[in-house]
Amino acid sequence: MNSPRIAIVGAGISGICMAVALQRAGFPEFTIFEKAHDYGGTWRDNSYPGLVCDVPSRYYQFRFAMNPEWTQLYSAGPEIKDYLVGVAREHGLHRNTRFGAEVTGAVFDDDGWQVTTGDGVTERFDFVLCATGFLHHPTRPDIPGLDDFDGPVMHSSRWRHEVEPRGKRVGVIGTGSTGTQLVGALAGVASEVVLFQRTPQWILPTVNRQYTAVSKRLYKLAPTLSLVPYWFNRAAFAVFSQGLVHPGRVRTLIQWVVERHLRSVEDPELRRKLTPDYQAMCKRLVVSDRFYKAVQRPDVTLVTEHIDSVEARGAVTADGHLHELDILVLATGFDSHAFMRPMAITGAHGRTLDQAWADGPRAFEGVMMPDFPNLFMLVGPHSPFANHPLTAVAEAQSARIVGWLRRWRAGEFTTIEPTHAATDRYNARMRAAAPSTVWTTGCTSWYLGKDGLPELWPWTPGRYEKLIRGTPDPVDYHLKHGVPSGK
Ligand code: NAP
């Protein structure tokens, strides 16, 4: 049987998921290009103190690789990274993986892709599957003098473990999920934590807990038991996501919960500084049981003045105050709209990705684009990201991609791409739905695109999953027929 040559770019959650889906569907010949030297993607890159996934472990996992050994309800970063490495090992993905191989470009040449890596070598593939993630390129704030700081400056996702925060004055810029987790972990370790807040966040309270040895043994003895918390959490997230995409009771309830949580901050002035002026969930909701406790400690200072500059001794705020620091941490987020860029991708008719995305990243059903035949994305533009586990999204999208590969193998087409008309219709429908989402209710966030509309799926993740696991409508695609290449 003819077998397609497949390149997967990236060995994080979605790359691993895609690779296993290919194996299970009888496509053992594929190459995973990974520019780093290990599996795990964002869970490899992020290793800052306090990193915990805010989605329960028994839900934040692949359905094909349920782990009975999770140690706690919300797993710490290293445990998730180990899980991902373990899944890759168990499926022998090292045989297909090239570490230290950065894909720098891909050019479509009529019925396949010329894929070039950083060492200048070019290889041909029938399909390119981009599993490059979107929280990958750190954003460095444009603060004058940042390079003049005497101590270490590090982005949260490039944690330097040789830098010892114990007994030091640590400045943290940013109050997203990362900044708040960092403050919770550094408080009481550093001699002083100075948190520079540009915008306050609503914080959903939670309680983490360890799993007992008995429960772990039980999950090991009866693997199907793992499906119970998996489906329970899925149902709970489905309810939560109603609040994201429509006004109504769930939104009101979450607002009430976060406001009550904020009341645990006793000092009225501190509480005022921590009170957002927008609705809960407008920015990605921060989930934490430690942040408010940490920020009320005497060794933690919340600074709401704008940082004017950084100098050798610390950060100078707009009121002229110099905050003397030993270490500066940039918890300032990511260029979430880059997706597979800076890879230079040129599709059919010489159209480049930058041209196609001049107005912002657009895709058809989150996985394909017109003019880029046989190129698929995992967790691409307008996938359901917000607080939703990407493991589930990647599994559903992998199934769709495998479906197309099977049809290629059956000789139904040599190349496939969505039509411009279908993509435009799809994007217009999403944009029309965007105003009822909570993300457009008056805040700035990494969810929003150039036009101020969210670059997220504006309905529930369940609806997306139904769509992507359903049967594609042939009118939406342009299929080219010919003699398949493959091998
Ligand atoms: P983020 O949510 O984008 O937050 C960046 C923070 O930096 C914001 O508070 C932002 O302020 C601030 N900031 C950016 N530039 C600044 C500047 N020039 N001066 C002062 N402040 C500045 O980034 P993140 O916290 O790294 O989180 C990114 C995403 O990663 C999350 O939304 C989430 O999806 C994921 N994440 C998940 C987990 C988890 O538990 N699952 C944990 C960590 C991260 P403004 O709000 O004013 O822009």
Side-chain angles (χ1 to χ4, degrees):
M1 199 184 313
N2 205 27
S3 181
R5 285 165 295 194
I6 303 168
I8 299 177
V9 187
I13 286 183
S14 56
I16 293 170
C17 179
M18 186 70 242
V20 175
L22 290 178
Q23 279 184 344
R24 288 155 68 101
F27 295 95
E29 302 279 328
F30 54 87
T31 304
I32 305 174
F33 293 94
E34 170 55 59
K35 68 178 174 182
H37 294 275
D38 204 353
Y39 296 101
T42 194
W43 295 104
R44 176 202 59 227
D45 291 348
N46 283 276
S47 61
Y48 60 80
L51 173 60
V52 171
C53 182
D54 56 17
V55 178
S57 330
R58 297 210 183 280
Y59 187 30
Y60 199 91
Q61 58 178 339
F62 299 124
R63 254 188 285 173
F64 61 81
M66 295 286 206
N67 176 16
E69 305 277 358
W70 293 116
T71 58
Q72 46 189 7
L73 180 62
Y74 296 98
S75 291
E79 189 172 2
I80 298 173
K81 193 226 162 193
D82 289 349
Y83 164 76
L84 293 169
V85 171
V87 172
R89 274 214 197 103
E90 203 177 300
H91 289 84
L93 297 187
H94 57 278
R95 288 191 291 270
N96 303 69
T97 309
R98 285 193 218 160
F99 287 114
E102 178 172 7
V103 174
T104 51
V107 178
F108 182 74
D109 68 359
D110 260 6
D111 60 357
W113 288 90
Q114 302 287 349
V115 173
T116 305
T117 41
D119 53 9
V121 174
T122 295
E123 277 172 79
R124 206 178 165 290
F125 291 92
D126 298 298
F127 289 91
V128 174
L129 316 182
C130 297
T132 47
F134 56 93
L135 295 174
H136 179 52
H137 301 291
T139 305
R140 191 178 159 90
D142 189 15
I143 301 174
L146 210 45
D147 293 331
D148 299 334
F149 184 59
D150 261 351
V153 179
M154 53 189 163
H155 189 271
S156 52
S157 67
R158 301 289 182 273
W159 196 262
R160 286 163 51 188
H161 289 272
E162 78 282 7
V163 174
E164 175 53 78
R166 191 167 296 280
K168 301 277 172 48
R169 295 164 302 181
V170 184
V172 176
I173 304 179
T175 48
S177 301
T178 303
T180 48
Q181 289 188 345
L182 265 165
V183 169
L186 292 171
V189 174
S191 63
E192 190 188 353
V193 177
V194 182
L195 173 61
F196 296 94
Q197 170 188 280
R198 189 164 68 181
T199 313
Q201 287 271 5
W202 289 112
I203 317 262
L204 191 70
T206 183
V207 182
N208 203 355
R209 65 179 168 83
Q210 298 286 318
Y211 285 122
T212 62
V214 175
S215 84
K216 283 190 256 177
R217 213 170 310 132
L218 210 63
Y219 279 105
K220 209 167 182 171
L221 282 174
T224 47
L225 206 58
S226 291
L227 289 171
V228 176
Y230 184 92
W231 286 102
F232 171 79
N233 278 294
R234 202 179 143 96
F237 271 72
V239 173
F240 168 79
S241 61
Q242 293 288 343
L244 295 172
V245 297
H246 315 289
R249 272 192 230 153
V250 177
R251 214 178 268 184
T252 310
L253 176 68
I254 302 262
Q255 187 66 43
W256 180 79
V257 172
V258 294
E259 283 177 13
R260 260 191 84 83
H261 188 208
L262 180 62
R263 277 192 244 149
S264 66
V265 176
E266 285 169 17
D267 173 22
E269 179 56 12
L270 181 60
R271 196 163 59 233
R272 185 190 62 74
K273 288 181 175 176
L274 290 168
T275 306
D277 63 358
Y278 55 86
Q279 283 188 43
M281 303 187 291
C282 182
K283 286 173 178 284
R284 186 191 187 274
L285 193 57
V286 172
V287 183
S288 176
D289 56 345
R290 293 175 84 179
F291 179 68
Y292 286 151
K293 287 181 197 127
V295 84
Q296 294 183 78
R297 291 173 57 104
D299 49 4
V300 176
T301 308
L302 178 74
V303 176
T304 53
E305 288 285 339
H306 171 84
I307 303 174
D308 257 358
S309 62
V310 171
E311 59 157 74
R313 287 176 298 156
V316 182
T317 41
D319 54 2
H321 186 97
L322 167 68
H323 301 268
E324 292 197 44
L325 301 167
D326 302 307
I327 300 168
L328 188 53
V329 181
L330 312 175
T332 44
F334 301 87
D335 176 6
S336 57
H337 304 276
F339 292 96
M340 49 277 199
R341 294 175 285 189
M343 262 167 74
I345 302 184
T346 306
H349 329 296
R351 188 163 168 77
T352 66
L353 185 62
D354 283 338
Q355 286 168 343
W357 284 0
D359 294 327
R362 301 281 176 269
F364 181 63
E365 299 183 344
V367 290
M368 299 173 91
M369 288 177 289
D371 294 330
F372 295 83
N374 289 11
L375 182 135
F376 289 89
M377 290 168 285
L378 287 122
V379 200
H382 299 106
S383 295
F385 306 135
N387 291 80
H388 188 65
L390 294 183
T391 40
V393 180
E395 278 190 72
Q397 293 178 336
S398 301
R400 164 59 68 91
I401 295 167
V402 159
W404 284 120
L405 292 171
R406 285 200 170 109
R407 291 174 67 171
W408 183 95
R409 191 163 59 183
E412 286 188 35
F413 64 88
T414 49
T415 67
I416 176 150
E417 62 186 290
T419 64
H420 279 277
T423 308
D424 292 348
R425 265 196 316 272
Y426 179 79
N427 277 278
R429 273 202 306 273
M430 280 192 299
R431 303 194 109 57
S436 64
T437 67
V438 72
W439 309 308
T440 56
T441 54
C443 69
T444 57
S445 76
W446 63 261
Y447 290 161
L448 303 180
K450 281 183 184 170
D451 56 3
L453 291 178
E455 304 215 330
L456 271 74
W457 173 254
W459 300 288
T460 62
R463 179 161 163 182
Y464 179 75
E465 194 155 340
K466 199 167 164 206
L467 170 87
I468 206 71
R469 286 192 183 274
T471 310
D473 186 339
V475 299
D476 291 339
Y477 298 90
H478 176 61
L479 272 62
K480 191 174 133 191
H481 303 269
V483 182
S485 46
K487 56 181 180 180

